[in-house]
Amino acid sequence: MAAVKKAAVKKVASPVVKKAADPAVMKHVFFFGAGKAEAKGENLTKNVLGGKGLGLMEMTSIGIPVPAGFTISIQTCAEYYRLGCKLPKTLAGEVREALAKLEKATGKKLGDSKDPLLVSVRSGAARSMPGMLETILNLGLNDVSVEGLATKTGNPRFAYDSYRRFIQMFSTTAMGLSKDHMEDLLHTMKHDAGVMLDTELTAEQLKKLCDQFKAFYAKKKGEAFPQDPADQLWGAVMAVFNSWEAEKAVTYRRVEKITDLIGTAVNVVQMVFGNKGDGSGTGVCFTRDPNSGANEFYGDYLINAQGEDVVAGIRTPLKLETLKDQMPGVYDQLLAVRAILESYYHEMQDLEFTIEDGKLYMLQCRTGKRSPAASFTIAVDQATKALLSKAEANRLAKKGYLPKKWADVATSLVLTKEEAVARITSDDIERLFYPVIDTRRVSLQRLKDVRLGGGINAVPGAACGQVVFTAAEAESLAAKDIKAILVRKETSPEDVGGMHAAQGILTATGGKTSHAAVVARGWGKCCIVGCEALNINYEEKFMTLGGQRINQGDCITLDGSAGEVYNGELPLKDPELPASFATLMGWADKLRKIKVRTNADTPYDAENAIRMGAEGIGLCRTEHMFFDTEERRLAIQEMIVAETLESRKAALNKLLPFQKADFVGIFKAMDGKPVTIRLIDPPLHEFTPKDKVGIDKLSAITGLSADKIRHRCEQLHESNPMLGHRGCRLCITYPEILDMQVTAIIEAAVEVAAKGGKVLPEIMIPLAIDRKELKILTDQARGVADAIIKRAKSKVRYMVGTMIEIPRAALLANEIAEVAEFFSFGTNDLTQMTLGLSRDDAGRFLPVYVMTEKEGGKGIFKADPFQSLDQSGVGELVKLGIERGRSTRPNLKIGICGEHGGEAESVKFCVRAGMDYVSCSPYRVPIARLAAAHAALSGK
Amino acid sequence: MAAVKKAAVKKVASPVVKKAADPAVMKHVFFFGAGKAEAKGENLTKNVLGGKGLGLMEMTSIGIPVPAGFTISIQTCAEYYRLGCKLPKTLAGEVREALAKLEKATGKKLGDSKDPLLVSVRSGAARSMPGMLETILNLGLNDVSVEGLATKTGNPRFAYDSYRRFIQMFSTTAMGLSKDHMEDLLHTMKHDAGVMLDTELTAEQLKKLCDQFKAFYAKKKGEAFPQDPADQLWGAVMAVFNSWEAEKAVTYRRVEKITDLIGTAVNVVQMVFGNKGDGSGTGVCFTRDPNSGANEFYGDYLINAQGEDVVAGIRTPLKLETLKDQMPGVYDQLLAVRAILESYYHEMQDLEFTIEDGKLYMLQCRTGKRSPAASFTIAVDQATKALLSKAEANRLAKKGYLPKKWADVATSLVLTKEEAVARITSDDIERLFYPVIDTRRVSLQRLKDVRLGGGINAVPGAACGQVVFTAAEAESLAAKDIKAILVRKETSPEDVGGMHAAQGILTATGGKTSHAAVVARGWGKCCIVGCEALNINYEEKFMTLGGQRINQGDCITLDGSAGEVYNGELPLKDPELPASFATLMGWADKLRKIKVRTNADTPYDAENAIRMGAEGIGLCRTEHMFFDTEERRLAIQEMIVAETLESRKAALNKLLPFQKADFVGIFKAMDGKPVTIRLIDPPLHEFTPKDKVGIDKLSAITGLSADKIRHRCEQLHESNPMLGHRGCRLCITYPEILDMQVTAIIEAAVEVAAKGGKVLPEIMIPLAIDRKELKILTDQARGVADAIIKRAKSKVRYMVGTMIEIPRAALLANEIAEVAEFFSFGTNDLTQMTLGLSRDDAGRFLPVYVMTEKEGGKGIFKADPFQSLDQSGVGELVKLGIERGRSTRPNLKIGICGEHGGEAESVKFCVRAGMDYVSCSPYRVPIARLAAAHAALSGK
């Protein structure tokens, strides 16, 4: 069994594009049918056959009933593009051969006038790209064979409906004709017939519609609709290939970060029909519950229906359990298929099946999409419980449906704990924490009814509020505590205030790296971009979407995870964490070798982060405390405008008790875990009063004239504040700030320790640039700290270290490490300086650097360097910094506290680079824990 | 002879501080006298004896008549500070011993009542610090010995005047009493006596003054004025040591960049008197003319006078030649001394001598200060002509004054050409080019009369204009073409406009790295800072300096080279380059191995730079051309506000002929020398109209509303423009700009080449960050260029390369070099990004980083990194960039085009780093040529 398991796990591992074989001798077409599959060995992969093709091929080869067919390889598609959109020469012969095998296996002939073979032609890339690539069904129908089908099935309506659908699909998909006109024809026909639904049209009416379609085709293309199935087949194959480079598909791949794919396969498969009467049916099912992850067979089916009927939702499907009564044999067979496929793939599968006259056909199997909670539950279950009980396995085996080999697997554990951890992604975690639409309180039907449209799911989570069309309006609603959704054609830096004030953001244009997406992601704020159907009338303050007019002030709901927009206010809920989350994270924690800390500025944040599994604070930004109350804001402002050292010290003394109280709270919350506290970092102008009211208040307190205060504030203006008077440069020019902050930290530590608490403060000096600069400040900090500790006769221990966020500091890390006990890489600023890229300004051109050429960009960067660490540039400096730092202080403690500390790829980089910990915002702590575990696994 | 020369040259080479010997066995005191000097071997250096002590010691040992004395070593001073301002234990015994030798050599005793030995106690550091350290003369006088001196000299007035001067000097210098009160006493005495000059006071009056001084001393110090010469001596020694760390001395050392010195020596020397009658005298001379550098003995003297009389300028001194008639023997002896000393030192010497009763004593010799022109002429002369003719040498030898050994040297060349080049400094060159006060048209007396005061000579050159006290007034005068001198307590970034508009800048506070100094230096604009006596009344718009009131609108003249401020408008002249300049630079050019190019944006600049010796243009900033005329400004503005690609291209087409014409001019001027042209670099907002008039004009041209234009301009605002949308990022988002610029460059090149001219354009793409980014742009540039060349059937060749100015580009230089044919390190921006330091904002804290602790700074950086390349940080990136760049393209051409390309230490770094060329502003080209030669020499 172990061998089976191992092989299977290998198969589902992330696909690596293998070098294509020599095209001259390359096999392009692989037949499957009658229990045999042509693809073997290195050809039996997603990268040759695509996901769908592989599934069909594998299902065939392990004895599962699958309609016969053949797959044209992905390499053929790549070759097609290499040849300038021409098919390889040998392809025609290979297809002919495969077709012959197919006709033999099915006993039918394509275009036959009596009992025609019909096929579907479907795309299938190495990764699922739902709805992005083309599909053509019922291929093989023509004016002759449609009659054969009518006769054979005894259902002319079915035959002509199939034919009109085929003509419609082929004309628009393969030949590029307008969809609208054909829809209009259908609409007119229904109108003339006085019916509402397509299904109400008679065979005669459908036949007439076929004629209208064909006439339209002939008019537009200057030739008759192809009657030769071979012509139809080649047209369909080319249509699938062409859809690969269609704009929407290219965008999808970039957004989903699957740009390494080289093309799509084409699957030509015998059509089977679930709509041949009550012995037929069709269904979709999951080997486990995709919502809860429970070990229950889960699905829907319809009797006497085709696949599209299930999808179209016109008839309400039945729960899969009821099939047990309706067709007990088929149901048991399906149960066995479920067990075999999970045993084979070791993964929850999403299956499509059709029952044609009581015979079960599996049409597709693929790894099933699931809710975030289900991801965890399934992985944990697979590593702790068997799929089937022995009794159930025996029962199915006895019926001959479940071979012993698979029964053994289905009654065992299919994953190790390590494999379970490896299977979870950072997206699974991320999605677990965002608010969601409460589907217990809103029916799927209602959801469908109020859906307005969709866009690109830029930032997950759900949000609802009143629609506003300007940033100012969002801010003014927020000021009144009214929830707003900011709707814009696009956003620009001046909208940032309103974006922050809004609950969610919806834009008509832009992709996942547009300004709106990037900014919203920074805050974890629900955001949908690229909602192309959205139309905004700024002047009259309304929008239209999905044919509805929404006025300013009307409520809408965004589902950022799905990229869906709904009319009205839908109920939201905070997600509940499944028990499996804790179990799996526990396994991950045992695997990882790097610590995970959090960025937290308040006792509240700290407590929250502890719950998320944080093992310390990697970044406590002291200046955030200054904004907390007006009293604090005024005290820091007083410090800034002080004209003498004495008045500056007096103002700082007002701040001292606030800071100290905050640190006491944080130390208590962290209970002995290390707390890295960064001294004041931003330039002073960030604290100054911005309006007359603020200036007057400060004037009243300080006795300085308003003019003087205004002048001082103006003086603080900087051309490039990012590179200005900030960080430890403030403490170099105003040493008394450091004195106050270190006093607050150490007095708080001493106080907590005196009451028996554990404390481990790490004082972090930001923006260091030189050994001597840092020496001056660390000496000063130690002087202040040691005096307090000595006076209090305390045994508190502390460390003093620095942030490495300026390239020079990384380059001279050997010198810096002589005076710093720890390093924390501030990769936000390090990225800005290493790339010469201001995060606040890059919105104007960075998208062009990240978007591909097809998207109108230049594809210079693979990812936004502010989201995922630029490993070749910034990463090089990080590696140099670590190496050089440890060259003079081998036990140097090293971490990261930029945004990257919570991004999976960046965390893996940090592990490889030899850091001791990563630190990130509380809600990203689990992501970092998981990524660290993954890094440990891939290091094995 | 060769051996003598070699040794001597070694001696004058830049002093390296040697490790002090073990203090326990260290010799602190070195006696010299009677033709013998105690200091030998490693003790016979400036670093032990100081400049003055070494001179006396060496003169003694080579047989030149010098008064006897002893030197307390510099190491003693350092030990004094190490011991917490206490004298080393063994010092007292050593001084006693040396004093005994001195008394024996002179046959006199300190404090003797008949014929007392008097000594001077003078400081003497390893480098000259004129006026910075203390001196006490006539030490050994007391109530008893003064009478002895009166009797022995028969001149009681002289004796009491010496005594009152000694009391005054000792009280203020050694004991820290107020100078003012003693001056007041002197003043009252003169007033009561009804005389104007000190010299008019009688012996009796002077004696009374001595009593008043002593009474004042006793009252203030609570003890009598020391009568024991030993007490006097120790007081004086401590006073000299203490003056080492006085604020003005510390500042001086920082400003002169001689902060590596560890202390001062103390020279205790027998007093000799030039005021003993007509057989006595005193003088100051130079072995060559310090103004022209001519090989002529040059000096002044006074008969019957002391040194201070020459300095004080009360009597008009005589030209040295007249001594030939007055005291022919002494004169010949002096001629011989001149020959011996230049032969010994191989350098022009500044000498002080005293003749006491017909006997010549040399009191000091040191390397003589000289005019910039003289520096060149002397160095060239010493490498091409002998000091003395054979005849003159024979004549002096025959008289027994000039030993054969020295006669041989004096009739030979004392320098090789390499040594001559090594002797010239970048300061010599810099000073050569600044305007100066025309001393042919203004007498020294007038200069003295109109002198208002002095400050720190921050930027050399002279300037005159009307005094203004605000930046706005400077700008408004400049607008009327009236020259202004901006006078401020200090300057800040908002003054920059006015600073640029002014002819010169004078500030009351600040040092050489203050805002005013740094900004002015960037423009080579005359600037004096730290003029402490300057008092400004901003409200009533006047200043006082040197007791004079200067109102706004009055003229003053600044001599930035000397740091002197004069009342009124003095005549200025452009300096004339001596022939020796060309000769020496020719030698330098033969030595250096690196090319020197210039930064030039116009044909005018280019021609100018060629005259300065530029071998190409390393940086031609195309955007400067856009500011040239209103027509051009409007065209670029039109391009910026363009709403469509078409209108943007139309605006660019207007610019094309201008750019092309400029390039034609530059190519012609450079005549086949390489010209590196940088594509547009600054962010677009730098070009936008700033006021209503400008906006309206643009609105009229473009037909866009003023509101729209204003909005577009506002949109372009950036938080950190340094890290924003600029450099090649502009060409990534607006490829049509690159098309226009490359078209202009290549069309110009083709046109010049078609007329038989030589052209070598190098297209430089700024701010590259990534290989792919650069590949897109170089491909585009080559496409445009090749098409033009092909169309014109031209054979023009060109290169495409990039600036390395972002840390990431340096780190990934191996990748970048795959697509760039050359690199030019833009160390201005590279410094800003590597250090996280905005040049525009650093004024607020960088001075604190550069100033030492004594100056109120922290001494973190040794120099301003924007002036002298930060070799450990930025330099590390440059080295990495070169190494990595050449790893993938071994023949990569590499240069530098930041401000550092014209700074000597940085140029030397560039040579060591293996660059092919440096590029700098035209007037710094000779500095770079010289520095490159120096680097080649030091590499030998």
Side-chain angles (χ1 to χ4, degrees), chain A residues 715 717 719-723 729 769 772-773 806 808 834-836 838 841 844 849 859 870 872 876 884, chain B residues 715 717 719-723 729 769 772-773 806 808 834-836 838 841 844 849 859 870 876 884:
Chain A
Q715 268 190 332
H717 171 79
S719 311
N720 295 288
M722 170 58 42
L723 311 175
R729 296 163 189 179
I769 195 176
K772 182 157 181 196
E773 172 195 53
I806 290 186
R808 190 180 198 265
T834 305
L835 273 67
S838 162
D841 303 313
R844 213 166 287 148
Y849 276 67
D870 161 39
S872 56
E876 171 77 2
R884 293 180 180 185
Chain B
Q715 267 190 335
H717 171 80
S719 311
N720 295 286
M722 169 58 44
L723 311 176
R729 294 162 191 178
I769 195 177
K772 182 159 183 195
E773 172 196 54
I806 290 185
R808 190 180 196 267
T834 307
L835 273 66
S838 162
D841 303 313
R844 213 166 287 148
Y849 276 67
D870 161 39
E876 170 77 3
R884 293 180 180 185

Side-chain angles (χ1 to χ4, degrees), chain A residues 578-800:
Chain A
S580 54
F581 171 72
T583 307
L584 191 123
M585 292 310 294
W587 297 346
D589 288 343
K590 278 191 190 130
L591 288 169
R592 72 185 155 91
K593 299 197 178 67
I594 195 170
K595 296 273 179 192
V596 176
R597 296 196 191 180
T598 191
N599 302 349
D601 308 333
T602 62
Y604 173 83
D605 284 352
E607 281 162 19
N608 196 16
I610 291 268
R611 277 193 297 274
M612 291 298 200
E615 297 162 297
I617 290 179
L619 177 62
C620 173
R621 288 158 291 211
T622 51
E623 63 271 9
H624 286 197
M625 301 171 177
F626 298 153
F627 288 113
D628 237 31
T629 62
E630 186 176 34
E631 206 175 0
R632 294 176 177 207
R633 269 199 305 279
L634 280 170
I636 183 90
Q637 289 171 356
E638 211 180 317
M639 190 279 285
I640 291 170
V641 298
E643 294 193 315
T644 64
L645 180 60
E646 269 51 54
S647 50
R648 193 152 56 237
K649 282 186 176 171
L652 286 167
N653 274 335
K654 290 188 190 171
L655 284 169
L656 179 60
F658 295 125
Q659 289 234 298
K660 184 176 161 184
D662 285 337
F663 293 136
V664 166
I666 288 172
F667 289 143
K668 280 184 181 163
M670 295 310 289
D671 191 25
K673 295 188 175 69
V675 177
T676 305
I677 297 166
R678 180 178 73 182
L679 301 185
I680 187 170
D681 185 57
L684 295 183
H685 52 73
E686 289 198 8
F687 303 104
T688 54
K690 304 293 179 226
D691 55 14
K692 194 171 173 313
V693 177
I695 289 172
D696 289 347
K697 253 186 201 153
L698 186 55
S699 169
I701 287 184
T702 58
L704 296 169
S705 74
D707 263 359
K708 207 161 221 174
I709 289 172
R710 205 170 291 116
H711 182 69
R712 171 72 178 138
C713 295
E714 280 162 14
Q715 268 190 332
L716 289 173
H717 171 79
E718 293 183 307
S719 311
N720 295 288
M722 170 58 42
L723 311 175
H725 192 189
R726 50 176 287 242
C728 71
R729 296 163 189 179
L730 292 170
C731 293
I732 286 285
T733 50
Y734 303 114
E736 51 280 3
I737 300 180
L738 182 143
D739 288 345
M740 184 279 283
Q741 292 204 295
V742 172
T743 301
I745 294 165
I746 300 297
E747 283 189 357
V750 164
E751 184 175 314
V752 172
K755 290 179 184 154
K758 284 190 203 165
V759 274
L760 187 42
E762 300 176 341
I763 298 169
M764 180 156 75
I765 295 170
L767 217 75
I769 195 176
D770 189 89
R771 179 194 186 283
K772 182 157 181 196
E773 172 195 53
L774 193 62
K775 175 96 166 69
I776 289 167
L777 298 172
T778 53
D779 284 355
Q780 187 191 342
R782 282 181 204 291
V784 171
D786 292 345
I788 294 167
I789 292 168
K790 197 176 168 191
R791 206 180 314 127
K793 292 180 184 136
S794 175
K795 284 182 179 169
V796 161
R797 290 177 168 229
Y798 66 94
M799 293 175 87
V800 185

Side-chain angles (χ1 to χ4, degrees), chain A residues 378-621:
Chain A
I378 292 170
V380 168
D381 271 10
Q382 288 187 314
T384 53
K385 291 175 211 153
L387 180 76
L388 296 187
S389 67
K390 299 248 176 200
E392 175 71 351
N394 280 339
R395 188 181 72 78
L396 294 174
K398 268 185 196 157
K399 296 210 166 177
Y401 296 141
L402 184 62
K404 180 166 186 313
K405 167 179 158 189
W406 299 119
D408 284 349
V409 183
T411 53
S412 317
L413 304 185
V414 292
L415 294 185
T416 64
K417 287 172 184 172
E418 295 187 358
E419 286 161 352
V421 169
R423 192 158 280 181
I424 298 297
T425 68
S426 61
D427 277 356
D428 291 331
I429 296 183
E430 201 169 341
R431 288 162 56 223
L432 203 56
F433 286 92
Y434 284 108
V436 293
I437 292 171
D438 187 352
T439 44
R440 288 168 314 189
R441 290 163 62 201
V442 55
S443 71
L444 289 174
Q445 190 56 52
R446 170 144 181 245
L447 264 190
K448 200 172 292 168
D449 291 347
V450 296
R451 180 178 182 277
L452 293 172
I456 299 171
N457 50 342
V459 187
C464 50
Q466 293 183 10
V467 168
V468 294
F469 299 108
T470 66
E473 280 152 352
E475 289 184 81
S476 97
L477 282 195
K480 296 178 216 148
D481 258 343
I482 299 172
K483 291 178 177 177
I485 301 289
L486 179 61
V487 179
R488 301 280 305 164
K489 194 162 183 323
E490 63 198 343
T491 64
S492 62
E494 56 260 47
D495 296 329
V496 165
M499 293 167 74
H500 193 257
Q503 296 294 309
I505 296 151
L506 170 65
T507 70
T509 63
K512 278 199 176 177
T513 57
S514 64
H515 178 265
V518 169
V519 172
R521 194 171 302 122
W523 300 322
K525 187 179 296 279
C526 165
C527 177
I528 298 173
V529 297
C531 177
E532 288 169 19
L534 173 65
N535 221 308
I536 306 174
N537 186 323
Y538 284 124
E539 283 179 22
E540 297 178 32
K541 299 187 179 178
F542 71 87
M543 63 181 245
T544 56
L545 183 60
Q548 305 249 21
R549 173 181 167 132
I550 308 286
N551 294 314
Q552 174 158 329
D554 292 350
C555 274
I556 62 171
T557 300
L558 306 183
D559 180 350
S561 312
E564 300 284 14
V565 185
Y566 300 101
N567 200 349
E569 186 170 356
L570 299 180
L572 305 185
K573 63 165 181 175
D574 273 336
E576 284 155 31
L577 297 185
S580 54
F581 171 72
T583 307
L584 191 123
M585 292 310 294
W587 297 346
D589 288 343
K590 278 191 190 130
L591 288 169
R592 72 185 155 91
K593 299 197 178 67
I594 195 170
K595 296 273 179 192
V596 176
R597 296 196 191 180
T598 191
N599 302 349
D601 308 333
T602 62
Y604 173 83
D605 284 352
E607 281 162 19
N608 196 16
I610 291 268
R611 277 193 297 274
M612 291 298 200
E615 297 162 297
I617 290 179
L619 177 62
C620 173
R621 288 158 291 211

